[in-house]
Amino acid sequence: MTQQSHEAARHDGRAVQTDLTRLLKRYETALNTSDLEAVMQAFAADAVFMAPNRAAVVGAPGIRAAYLHLFEQLSFETSIQVEEVRPIADGWAFARTRSAGVVKLKPGGERVEDANHELFILQRTEDAAWRIARYCFASTLLLRR
């Protein structure tokens, strides 16, 4: 690889990191505002959402239903910190994040601490936008007895 191609690859890697960090911040905002349409804009049409102790949800209709149910049951006050972003192939990257905050249960408004680590696999779709292709997370809180 020439010096020029190394420089181009570094620049492209920084651009990908910036684009993906922006996408994840938009996703964070969508969660915190219970904005279903903004959540759906973050996901690819054939995305997969994997929540702990649940079957994988495949495709936009299922993801829409899952988030609609979430937003009916709770609201988020969370912050997502991007810890790592790596391009892995042309049009593909992953991001490792951690989140912390609270969820407010509906009805009643009980506030419950929430903290997770997440793995996003992201894809540049046909419209040249980065979208979440695969998403899984796990709690980092100890179970309370």
Side-chain angles (χ1 to χ4, degrees):
M1 204 180 247
T2 67
Q3 178 65 26
Q4 187 175 11
S5 60
H6 277 295
E7 190 63 33
R10 248 193 329 270
H11 173 73
D12 186 52
R14 285 193 302 268
V16 167
Q17 184 164 358
T18 298
D19 290 348
L20 296 182
T21 299
R22 285 183 183 144
L23 169 63
L24 295 171
K25 286 301 179 181
R26 285 193 308 269
Y27 175 71
E28 171 191 275
T29 299
L31 283 179
N32 287 331
T33 58
S34 300
D35 186 339
L36 182 59
E37 295 310 316
V39 166
M40 295 311 299
Q41 282 296 310
F43 280 92
D46 62 347
V48 178
F49 172 50
M50 295 174 286
N53 306 311
R54 303 271 188 253
V57 177
V58 179
I63 291 171
R64 176 179 291 280
Y67 277 88
L68 179 60
H69 180 73
L70 276 175
F71 292 153
E72 288 171 346
Q73 301 299 313
L74 51 88
S75 61
F76 291 88
E77 295 175 18
T78 194
S79 174
I80 297 174
Q81 301 302 313
V82 177
E83 299 203 327
E84 180 180 19
V85 172
R86 299 253 175 127
I88 52 177
D90 188 33
W92 289 89
F94 77 82
R96 182 175 55 86
T97 64
R98 63 184 162 83
S99 60
V102 297
V103 293
K104 189 165 73 171
L105 305 179
K106 299 176 186 176
E110 179 185 359
R111 296 169 57 86
V112 179
E113 182 182 8
D114 187 39
N116 297 286
H117 49 200
E118 301 94 6
L119 183 64
F120 295 87
I121 299 175
L122 304 121
Q123 178 182 21
R124 191 182 302 267
T125 55
E126 290 180 5
D127 63 358
W130 284 99
R131 301 203 192 281
I132 300 166
R134 306 292 183 270
Y135 169 46
C136 61
F137 68 96
S139 177
T140 57
L141 298 175
L142 296 175
L143 292 177
R144 293 189 173 95
R145 296 190 187 262

